[in-house]
Amino acid sequence: MSSRARAAAEQQRLRDLALLRRVRDRIDREYAQPLDVEALGRAVGMSAGHLSRQFKAAYGEPPYNYLMTRRIERAMALLRRGDLSVTEVCFEVGFSSLGTFSSRFAQLVGVPPSVYREQAAGELSGVAPCVAKRVTKPIRNREAHPATRA
């Protein structure tokens, strides 16, 4: 490959990364809104498939999984706060079905949201929210190390 072709490929890669950052930032900002990969792709001029492949290559997971993780992280914070019911948290973070929310939450966190809420009630009192968020970051069960699985 010539140096000109390498430079052009590198410029395209940087443009794609900038677009992927826009998608990630939009998910971070609008996680509670109805978002789908097709619409996210259209917004940056990519097909859904291309966006998913490029996003996974850049961030380690497809955009849909990234969105679900953001929603569950926010749900964990709201459940730790304790002033909303599980149903209220479900709708607050962008799920339209309590069943889907509960099963996705249990898949990522390891326990249902109601159990998490009970366990978290006193566990993290006095811990700074930024530390609590880091310590309680959900890990996909199938991606967890075998030694850490329950």
Side-chain angles (χ1 to χ4, degrees), residues 111-126:
V111 295
S114 56
V115 171
Y116 180 83
R117 184 174 189 231
E118 289 170 13
Q119 290 174 345
E123 233 173 54
L124 296 171
S125 62

Side-chain angles (χ1 to χ4, degrees), residues 3 5 11 16 23 27-28 36 46 48 59-60 62 66 71 75 84-85 93 114 120-122 124 139:
S3 62
Q11 285 179 344
D16 286 349
V23 170
I27 292 171
D28 288 342
D36 60 75
M46 292 182 186
Y59 300 113
Y66 183 82
R71 286 179 174 173
L84 297 175
S85 71
V93 299
S114 56
L124 296 171
I139 299 172

Side-chain angles (χ1 to χ4, degrees), residues 14-54:
L14 293 174
R15 281 192 298 270
D16 286 349
L17 283 174
L19 294 174
L20 293 172
R21 275 193 301 272
R22 283 180 43 201
V23 170
R24 188 189 62 191
D25 290 347
R26 181 174 177 195
I27 292 171
D28 288 342
R29 268 190 330 272
E30 300 176 19
Y31 67 87
Q33 303 301 313
L35 295 173
D36 60 75
V37 179
E38 291 81 16
L40 292 168
R42 269 193 312 273
V44 294
M46 292 182 186
S47 71
H50 185 68
L51 172 62
S52 290
R53 285 187 299 276
Q54 295 299 314

Side-chain angles (χ1 to χ4, degrees), residues 60-113:
E61 64 183 333
Y64 179 79
N65 289 0
Y66 183 82
L67 171 62
M68 291 298 111
T69 302
R70 293 291 78 70
R71 286 179 174 173
I72 296 302
E73 284 177 344
R74 181 65 181 143
M76 291 170 73
L78 292 172
L79 289 168
R80 281 192 306 271
R81 209 172 69 189
D83 60 334
L84 297 175
S85 71
V86 171
T87 302
E88 290 169 321
V89 169
C90 164
F91 296 118
E92 180 75 21
V93 299
F95 283 90
S96 57
S97 160
L98 183 58
T100 301
F101 168 68
S102 295
S103 63
R104 181 59 69 138
F105 191 98
Q107 178 186 27
L108 290 175
V109 179
V111 295

Side-chain angles (χ1 to χ4, degrees), residues 107-108 138-150:
Q107 178 186 27
L108 290 175
I139 299 172
R140 297 184 183 286
N141 290 335
R142 65 181 172 272
E143 295 173 1
H145 298 289
T148 62
R149 288 188 183 160

